[in-house]
Amino acid sequence: MSVGAIRAGRAMVEIFADSSMLARGLASAQSKMARFAQTIRRLGTTQVVLGVGMAAPIAAAIRQYAQLEQRINTVRSLTGASVAQMRGLTQAVRQIGMETGRPFTEIADGMGELSRAGVRLQSLGKATRVIADFSRAAGVEMSRAANIGVEILTQFGLEMEHLPRVADVLQEMANATVSTVEDLSDGFRYAGQTAKTFGLSLEQAGAAIAYLQQSGLSSTTAGTALNQMLLQMVQNLGKVEGAVGGLRGADGEFLPFAQILEKLQRHIADMPGPERLQWLNEMFDVRGMRGAEALLKNVEAWMALTNQANGSMGASKRKATEMSKAFIVSFEQMRNGLVDFSYTIGEVLDADLRSAFQTLAGLATGLGPFIKANADAVRAVTKFAAALTVSGATFFTVGVSLQLLAFAFEGFVKAGLAAYAPINGLLGLGKMLGVVFASAAAKVTRAGAAITASITGFYAAVSRPIDASVAAVAALGTSFVSMSRTVHGAVGRTVAS
């Protein structure tokens, strides 16, 4: 081999060697680039997850802030409060919520109901706290508790500073009888105004309604009965006074209701049952006689309830404090702590968010002229989107149909296999029995062949000497016949000659 050839081969080797090194380098660079890209992707994914995780509670906090602020703004519109006063009311709502466990939004709704009822701005925080305790004790929403209190204050012409008194009387009567605060409120709705006009105090009317309900009358029936009893007593005042004596004092006003009931009770005490009912019906009508009969049956029980109502100061607060020891209240207070924290976040972000929302609103408004100027393009995009949606829905429907078909076919195959399994088992059993029977038949055939061969051999062995004897006898007979013929011929020839 020449020196030139050797050098050429060496060059080829070096070239290929260098090429393989280059390939390995490129592969290594590609692998490193892929790992780097994967690292960057993981970093981006982690950042997105962290960002969403951080944004979610902030979004929830902003939502809580917006809900409470909306209700506080309603109160502001009703009271005309200044920004500073609204901050004070907001702080009062948050403080009441932390102390009582009532939701902030519910407290703000109760404050709104009190504002509609005309509670002065200076008393709004204190009245809201009263309603918060009342609603907790009575087991009703704060807005409902506010409505109940305001209605009864209006019926008796009382100022808002008597709101705690109303709450205490209702709660004390609910504690002492089968009535609930809602029941008593229904009774007052029918009888409160008339009771006030007749001269009954809030406590006397509350005790009468509670006693009638304790006697078996429903809330509305009790209120109606008391109302009709008082109205009929006024309408038939002459008859009643003629029967029991004067019911009015020197000033022309009605005597205290307790004295009137005692006079009526003494008058009917000795009457037989039918006569008493007839007299009550004549005096109070059929709608009022039920209330009159129940009250006059036990005036002392009504008076005892009235005394209890007179001493009910603080009943609502005490009941609310007792109920606040429940586990659910601790949970609600913890929840309110989180909401309060959320509200603080909302306060911090308020200005920035308002600015951002206004900017977005301006951008959205600015899109209007652009859309009008490019109406054809918007229509085209809309049509394309509609076509894409229809196409996607079609493909989706076809895909679902194919999936259902595949599912049905799979069920058919499984059912066929399930049905074939016992048949296949029977076939296998028949095949096995066939093999057994064939094997037995082969054995029987082989045994029969052996027996046949044995019989054939035996017959052959036995028949050979018999055949020989028969042959010998036959040969002997033939010889005798031939001999007989010979003798006979000879005899015949002899005779003839």
Side-chain angles (χ1 to χ4, degrees):
M1 183 180 293
S2 65
V3 175
I6 294 174
R7 289 178 177 174
R10 182 192 233 171
M12 291 292 293
V13 172
E14 289 180 354
I15 289 172
F16 281 106
D18 291 341
S19 177
S20 63
M21 292 177 63
L22 177 61
R24 287 196 299 271
L26 290 175
S28 176
Q30 182 181 8
S31 177
K32 291 180 180 179
M33 181 64 71
R35 288 196 298 269
F36 177 73
Q38 187 176 11
T39 301
I40 294 298
R41 185 183 64 187
R42 289 177 179 173
L43 178 62
T45 302
T46 302
Q47 289 179 346
V48 170
V49 171
L50 290 176
V52 172
M54 294 175 63
I58 294 177
I62 293 172
R63 180 172 176 271
Q64 295 281 354
Y65 174 78
Q67 290 177 343
L68 179 56
E69 191 197 33
Q70 180 182 7
R71 288 166 168 80
I72 292 296
N73 282 334
T74 300
V75 176
R76 181 181 182 181
S77 66
L78 292 170
T79 60
S82 64
V83 174
Q85 289 172 325
M86 289 309 302
R87 289 198 189 99
L89 291 177
T90 301
Q91 186 59 36
V93 168
R94 295 165 70 177
Q95 182 178 354
I96 293 171
M98 294 301 299
E99 292 175 355
T100 64
R102 310 300 289 183
F104 289 172
T105 52
E106 184 182 329
I107 296 172
D109 288 339
M111 183 178 286
E113 293 298 326
L114 293 174
S115 301
R116 291 185 180 89
V119 176
R120 293 189 299 271
L121 186 61
Q122 295 77 7
S123 306
L124 195 54
K126 182 179 180 180
T128 303
R129 178 53 196 264
V130 171
I131 292 300
D133 289 334
F134 182 37
S135 68
R136 170 70 70 187
V140 297
E141 297 288 336
M142 280 196 60
S143 57
R144 177 59 184 149
N147 287 332
I148 292 173
V150 170
E151 286 175 0
I152 295 177
L153 287 175
T154 303
Q155 291 166 3
F156 283 84
L158 299 174
E159 298 295 332
M160 284 296 167
E161 54 263 26
H162 290 277
L163 185 60
R165 175 186 170 192
V166 172
D168 290 338
V169 169
L170 292 179
Q171 191 59 56
E172 186 67 27
M173 293 297 96
N175 294 341
T177 63
V178 297
S179 303
T180 65
V181 169
E182 286 278 15
D183 293 335
L184 294 169
S185 172
D186 290 340
F188 270 104
R189 187 176 295 114
Y190 285 89
Q193 188 68 49
T194 302
K196 166 65 172 58
T197 303
F198 198 88
L200 274 70
S201 67
L202 169 67
E203 290 76 10
Q204 288 175 326
I209 294 171
Y211 177 76
L212 292 177
Q213 292 182 16
Q214 185 76 4
S215 300
L217 302 184
S218 66
S219 58
T220 56
T221 303
T224 301
L226 178 61
N227 181 65
Q228 288 298 317
M229 174 187 173
L230 299 177
L231 289 177
Q232 292 299 319
M233 192 182 304
V234 174
Q235 184 173 347
N236 299 317
L237 184 59
K239 293 181 181 179
V240 175
E241 287 186 324
V244 303
L247 300 181
R248 290 170 290 183
D251 56 358
E253 296 293 335
F254 282 109
L255 296 174
F257 191 58
Q259 294 183 19
I260 294 176
L261 291 181
E262 287 175 343
K263 283 190 173 186
L264 292 172
Q265 185 184 45
R266 287 194 297 269
H267 179 72
I268 65 173
D270 298 328
M271 289 184 180
E275 183 180 347
R276 182 172 67 251
L277 292 176
Q278 183 179 3
W279 187 84
L280 291 174
N281 185 33
E282 290 177 358
M283 295 297 108
F284 303 109
D285 192 21
V286 67
R287 292 171 296 175
M289 64 177 293
R290 297 182 65 185
E293 182 186 14
L295 285 172
L296 297 178
K297 185 182 297 183
N298 195 346
V299 177
E300 292 76 14
W302 167 78
M303 294 177 65
L305 274 178
T306 300
N307 292 333
Q308 195 169 342
N310 287 329
S312 64
M313 181 180 295
S316 179
K317 179 70 173 178
R318 288 192 298 270
K319 183 65 177 294
T321 301
E322 179 183 349
M323 294 182 66
S324 67
K325 298 176 183 178
F327 172 79
I328 186 63
V329 177
S330 299
F331 174 80
E332 291 173 346
Q333 290 172 333
M334 181 272 294
R335 177 203 59 197
N336 282 355
L338 296 176
V339 175
D340 188 73
F341 175 73
S342 300
Y343 190 85
T344 302
I345 293 176
E347 283 183 320
V348 171
L349 298 176
D350 183 284
D352 295 331
L353 290 175
R354 288 179 188 272
S355 176
F357 292 155
Q358 290 173 357
T359 301
L360 291 175
L363 291 174
T365 303
L367 289 175
F370 173 80
I371 292 174
K372 291 181 179 179
N374 298 273
D376 294 336
V378 173
R379 293 190 188 97
V381 171
T382 302
K383 291 179 180 178
F384 176 75
L388 191 63
T389 301
V390 172
S391 176
T394 302
F395 281 119
F396 176 79
T397 303
V398 172
V400 171
S401 300
L402 290 176
Q403 286 181 343
L404 292 175
L405 182 61
F407 177 77
F409 181 73
E410 181 183 2
F412 174 76
V413 171
K414 289 182 178 179
L417 292 176
Y420 175 72
I423 298 174
N424 190 34
L426 292 175
L427 290 176
L429 178 61
K431 183 178 180 180
M432 182 182 68
L433 292 176
V435 171
V436 173
F437 290 148
S439 176
K443 291 180 179 179
V444 171
T445 301
R446 287 195 297 271
I451 293 172
T452 302
S454 299
I455 294 173
T456 303
F458 175 77
Y459 175 77
V462 173
S463 62
R464 283 193 189 99
I466 295 175
D467 291 343
S469 298
V470 171
V473 171
L476 182 60
T478 301
S479 297
F480 281 130
V481 171
S482 176
M483 184 182 297
S484 174
R485 286 177 181 173
T486 301
V487 172
H488 185 275
V491 171
R493 284 192 301 267
T494 301
V495 173
S497 56

